[in-house]
Amino acid sequence: RRLAQNLGVSETDSKRLDAFAKGAEDAEMASHNSFFKEWNISAEGVEQMPNCLLYTSYMKRIVVTKSHAQGLAVLLPCFWVYMHVGKCMLKLRDELG
């Protein structure tokens, strides 16, 4: 959501970015919560894995300290990973029936 607050971002783009971030956050939490429920597990007491912590800390630092374009670019790997995982899940669905 920090990208929506960057200087030079139009009000329209700011609203779009904020809505997109909210939607992405809600979808991510719903996905995690569905796995927790299905597997009867809890996130209580769980710590972020070191690699994830480094990656998310880096993204936050870029978004806050660099240009708006760099802030958007740092998010691209997330979308590439989601695309790859989605393709793998679709392939497994087809293979497993």
Side-chain angles (χ1 to χ4, degrees):
R1 292 188 189 175
R2 176 66 175 85
L3 281 172
Q5 301 167 6
N6 283 354
L7 292 176
V9 177
S10 71
E11 185 176 343
T12 301
D13 285 345
S14 178
K15 288 179 181 178
R16 283 187 197 147
L17 284 166
D18 194 54
F20 177 77
K22 172 90 172 89
E25 182 180 3
D26 289 348
E28 185 79 14
M29 290 306 297
S31 175
H32 288 233
N33 289 332
S34 72
F35 290 130
F36 293 162
K37 183 177 179 180
E38 182 179 340
W39 298 330
N40 195 30
I41 58 175
S42 168
E44 188 174 319
V46 174
E47 294 182 20
Q48 192 174 24
M49 298 299 293
N51 289 346
C52 291
L53 180 59
L54 286 170
Y55 178 58
T56 56
S57 296
Y58 172 74
M59 286 193 319
K60 288 177 182 179
R61 182 171 54 85
I62 296 301
V63 167
V64 171
T65 63
K66 301 296 182 184
S67 71
H68 183 69
Q70 288 171 298
L72 289 171
V74 79
L75 298 175
L76 281 176
C78 294
F79 295 102
W80 293 331
V81 168
Y82 280 124
M83 181 180 65
H84 178 72
V85 169
K87 286 179 179 180
C88 291
M89 290 174 75
L90 288 173
K91 182 179 177 196
L92 280 173
R93 182 189 68 181
D94 292 341
E95 290 173 358
L96 298 174

